[in-house]
Amino acid sequence: MADNPRIGITLGDPAGIGPEVVAKSLATGEVHKLAEPVVIGSAWAVEQGVNLIGSDLKVRRVESVEGAGKDPKTIDVLDNDAIKPEQIQWGVASAEGGKAQLSWNALADDLTEKGQIQGVVSCPVNSTAIKLAGIPPRDSAVEPGSTYLFLASGPLRVVHMTDHITVRESLDWITKANVNKVLDLMHSSLGEWGMPNPRIGVASFNAHGFGPEDENEVKPAVEEAKKRGINASGPIPADSVFRQCIEGEYDIVLAMYHDQGHIAVKTWGFIGNIALVLGSPYIRVSVAHGTAYDIVNKGIAHHEMILAAMKTTATLAAGKGFPKD
């Protein structure tokens, strides 16, 4: 892994707050200390974001990511002409904007597969614009048993056993084999990212861990994981394990279903929380907020989430673990 990795930042919907929050984040100078950031999107839109915040950053359109992202006073933008400036109407979903979003995501995938960038930060996309484009997006959804949603906010890091399915359906996924599978993936992925032997707290499904799923599936899986050298504990009552992670007793928590993990993360620290897909072939970090059409071009969008995503992508790609701040 590179000490100073090159990361791609896909602009998301060019009519949303992406240009503003990208400009604000790169204007801090914090990202260039950790990585060589290259924006993948509309150079014109990024210029509007820079002008909006009154920054003296320069925007440079580049034809290749090679050698880009080195100057902290310049935002390098790889612009594939996916959308023309006159096609961008601030705060309005359009087919052109939807096509551009998908084009930039595909370009980031291609660059990562070729090893030209070591991680990707995704600004928010707009599903209405993508539907207007009429092009099916690449399948990047979380698939139960294959990939897993990973939310992080400061010291609280949570992987979800299941995501967008009902609580009743999630019961079918809580098996000893499936718990073992995600524990192996958590252990190996965090190790590759610079957190060897992570302390994993496994949340119980039922209140206080009293129930057949916890006793017959989760508990035996944790015991088997320990025999393989994985530092896992549980099942731990869900009303305690997230607080224990915040306080440093665990490095990460395995939640059993969507709301169990989401409520904990969004209550603890909504501003600054980020999302990864565990099991993805490369590091891709996104944010919890949307395109915020209602505040576009007002200069009031919070950039803390996308800045946290940039810094996290940089440190994970460098094998240095999660940022300390």
mmCIF file of all heavy atoms in Angstrom, residues 118-136:
data_model
loop_
_atom_site.group_PDB
_atom_site.id
_atom_site.type_symbol
_atom_site.label_atom_id
_atom_site.label_comp_id
_atom_site.label_asym_id
_atom_site.label_seq_id
_atom_site.Cartn_x
_atom_site.Cartn_y
_atom_site.Cartn_z
ATOM 1 N N GLN A 118 -6.410 4.255 -5.656
ATOM 2 C CA GLN A 118 -6.422 3.227 -4.612
ATOM 3 C C GLN A 118 -7.685 3.236 -3.746
ATOM 4 O O GLN A 118 -7.823 2.419 -2.842
ATOM 5 C CB GLN A 118 -5.193 3.393 -3.712
ATOM 6 C CG GLN A 118 -3.888 2.944 -4.351
ATOM 7 C CD GLN A 118 -3.419 3.849 -5.478
ATOM 8 O OE1 GLN A 118 -3.234 5.045 -5.286
ATOM 9 N NE2 GLN A 118 -3.225 3.280 -6.660
ATOM 10 N N GLY A 119 -8.583 4.149 -4.017
ATOM 11 C CA GLY A 119 -9.829 4.209 -3.270
ATOM 12 C C GLY A 119 -10.727 5.279 -3.866
ATOM 13 O O GLY A 119 -10.258 6.164 -4.594
ATOM 14 N N VAL A 120 -12.022 5.179 -3.562
ATOM 15 C CA VAL A 120 -12.996 6.101 -4.147
ATOM 16 C C VAL A 120 -13.885 6.693 -3.061
ATOM 17 O O VAL A 120 -14.354 5.986 -2.157
ATOM 18 C CB VAL A 120 -13.884 5.386 -5.188
ATOM 19 C CG1 VAL A 120 -14.962 6.336 -5.723
ATOM 20 C CG2 VAL A 120 -13.045 4.844 -6.329
ATOM 21 N N VAL A 121 -14.097 7.996 -3.149
ATOM 22 C CA VAL A 121 -15.057 8.705 -2.303
ATOM 23 C C VAL A 121 -16.244 9.080 -3.182
ATOM 24 O O VAL A 121 -16.057 9.675 -4.248
ATOM 25 C CB VAL A 121 -14.440 9.979 -1.694
ATOM 26 C CG1 VAL A 121 -15.462 10.720 -0.846
ATOM 27 C CG2 VAL A 121 -13.207 9.636 -0.874
ATOM 28 N N SER A 122 -17.441 8.731 -2.742
ATOM 29 C CA SER A 122 -18.634 9.002 -3.550
ATOM 30 C C SER A 122 -19.455 10.132 -2.945
ATOM 31 O O SER A 122 -19.979 9.998 -1.838
ATOM 32 C CB SER A 122 -19.504 7.747 -3.647
ATOM 33 O OG SER A 122 -18.806 6.691 -4.266
ATOM 34 N N CYS A 123 -19.576 11.245 -3.676
ATOM 35 C CA CYS A 123 -20.503 12.292 -3.273
ATOM 36 C C CYS A 123 -21.926 11.811 -3.544
ATOM 37 O O CYS A 123 -22.143 10.888 -4.332
ATOM 38 C CB CYS A 123 -20.219 13.571 -4.049
ATOM 39 S SG CYS A 123 -18.678 14.370 -3.573
ATOM 40 N N PRO A 124 -22.926 12.438 -2.920
ATOM 41 C CA PRO A 124 -24.293 11.931 -3.047
ATOM 42 C C PRO A 124 -24.835 11.993 -4.469
ATOM 43 O O PRO A 124 -24.635 12.978 -5.179
ATOM 44 C CB PRO A 124 -25.095 12.826 -2.090
ATOM 45 C CG PRO A 124 -24.238 14.008 -1.835
ATOM 46 C CD PRO A 124 -22.834 13.569 -1.971
ATOM 47 N N VAL A 125 -25.512 10.904 -4.850
ATOM 48 C CA VAL A 125 -26.183 10.839 -6.134
ATOM 49 C C VAL A 125 -27.670 11.094 -5.929
ATOM 50 O O VAL A 125 -28.162 11.080 -4.799
ATOM 51 C CB VAL A 125 -25.965 9.472 -6.818
ATOM 52 C CG1 VAL A 125 -24.495 9.245 -7.090
ATOM 53 C CG2 VAL A 125 -26.538 8.341 -5.977
ATOM 54 N N ASN A 126 -28.384 11.325 -7.020
ATOM 55 C CA ASN A 126 -29.821 11.572 -6.939
ATOM 56 C C ASN A 126 -30.552 10.482 -7.711
ATOM 57 O O ASN A 126 -30.367 10.343 -8.923
ATOM 58 C CB ASN A 126 -30.153 12.950 -7.504
ATOM 59 C CG ASN A 126 -31.610 13.307 -7.318
ATOM 60 O OD1 ASN A 126 -32.457 12.903 -8.100
ATOM 61 N ND2 ASN A 126 -31.904 14.052 -6.257
ATOM 62 N N SER A 127 -31.370 9.710 -7.014
ATOM 63 C CA SER A 127 -32.034 8.566 -7.642
ATOM 64 C C SER A 127 -33.048 9.000 -8.691
ATOM 65 O O SER A 127 -33.248 8.298 -9.697
ATOM 66 C CB SER A 127 -32.718 7.713 -6.573
ATOM 67 O OG SER A 127 -33.654 8.468 -5.829
ATOM 68 N N THR A 128 -33.685 10.162 -8.500
ATOM 69 C CA THR A 128 -34.639 10.654 -9.501
ATOM 70 C C THR A 128 -33.933 10.944 -10.820
ATOM 71 O O THR A 128 -34.431 10.586 -11.902
ATOM 72 C CB THR A 128 -35.346 11.924 -8.992
ATOM 73 O OG1 THR A 128 -36.080 11.616 -7.808
ATOM 74 C CG2 THR A 128 -36.310 12.463 -10.046
ATOM 75 N N ALA A 129 -32.769 11.588 -10.737
ATOM 76 C CA ALA A 129 -32.001 11.887 -11.948
ATOM 77 C C ALA A 129 -31.562 10.605 -12.648
ATOM 78 O O ALA A 129 -31.593 10.510 -13.882
ATOM 79 C CB ALA A 129 -30.788 12.749 -11.600
ATOM 80 N N ILE A 130 -31.171 9.608 -11.874
ATOM 81 C CA ILE A 130 -30.746 8.335 -12.460
ATOM 82 C C ILE A 130 -31.919 7.649 -13.152
ATOM 83 O O ILE A 130 -31.774 7.085 -14.245
ATOM 84 C CB ILE A 130 -30.123 7.439 -11.374
ATOM 85 C CG1 ILE A 130 -28.788 8.046 -10.911
ATOM 86 C CG2 ILE A 130 -29.908 6.022 -11.892
ATOM 87 C CD1 ILE A 130 -28.151 7.331 -9.740
ATOM 88 N N LYS A 131 -33.102 7.714 -12.555
ATOM 89 C CA LYS A 131 -34.290 7.130 -13.191
ATOM 90 C C LYS A 131 -34.621 7.861 -14.490
ATOM 91 O O LYS A 131 -35.000 7.252 -15.491
ATOM 92 C CB LYS A 131 -35.470 7.189 -12.234
ATOM 93 C CG LYS A 131 -35.375 6.217 -11.070
ATOM 94 C CD LYS A 131 -36.552 6.367 -10.127
ATOM 95 C CE LYS A 131 -36.417 5.421 -8.928
ATOM 96 N NZ LYS A 131 -37.538 5.606 -7.962
ATOM 97 N N LEU A 132 -34.474 9.190 -14.484
ATOM 98 C CA LEU A 132 -34.731 9.975 -15.692
ATOM 99 C C LEU A 132 -33.761 9.590 -16.808
ATOM 100 O O LEU A 132 -34.107 9.645 -17.992
ATOM 101 C CB LEU A 132 -34.603 11.472 -15.391
ATOM 102 C CG LEU A 132 -35.712 12.087 -14.530
ATOM 103 C CD1 LEU A 132 -35.340 13.527 -14.152
ATOM 104 C CD2 LEU A 132 -37.045 12.065 -15.263
ATOM 105 N N ALA A 133 -32.545 9.209 -16.423
ATOM 106 C CA ALA A 133 -31.540 8.823 -17.417
ATOM 107 C C ALA A 133 -31.912 7.537 -18.128
ATOM 108 O O ALA A 133 -31.499 7.295 -19.264
ATOM 109 C CB ALA A 133 -30.171 8.695 -16.757
ATOM 110 N N GLY A 134 -32.670 6.688 -17.448
ATOM 111 C CA GLY A 134 -33.126 5.445 -18.061
ATOM 112 C C GLY A 134 -32.039 4.413 -18.256
ATOM 113 O O GLY A 134 -32.175 3.490 -19.063
ATOM 114 N N ILE A 135 -30.945 4.561 -17.504
ATOM 115 C CA ILE A 135 -29.839 3.602 -17.600
ATOM 116 C C ILE A 135 -29.728 2.864 -16.271
ATOM 117 O O ILE A 135 -29.525 3.500 -15.231
ATOM 118 C CB ILE A 135 -28.499 4.310 -17.890
ATOM 119 C CG1 ILE A 135 -28.604 5.143 -19.170
ATOM 120 C CG2 ILE A 135 -27.363 3.295 -17.997
ATOM 121 C CD1 ILE A 135 -27.376 5.997 -19.417
ATOM 122 N N PRO A 136 -29.851 1.531 -16.286
ATOM 123 C CA PRO A 136 -29.720 0.797 -15.028
ATOM 124 C C PRO A 136 -28.337 1.022 -14.428
ATOM 125 O O PRO A 136 -27.316 0.872 -15.120
ATOM 126 C CB PRO A 136 -29.896 -0.669 -15.435
ATOM 127 C CG PRO A 136 -30.597 -0.617 -16.746
ATOM 128 C CD PRO A 136 -30.111 0.634 -17.414
#
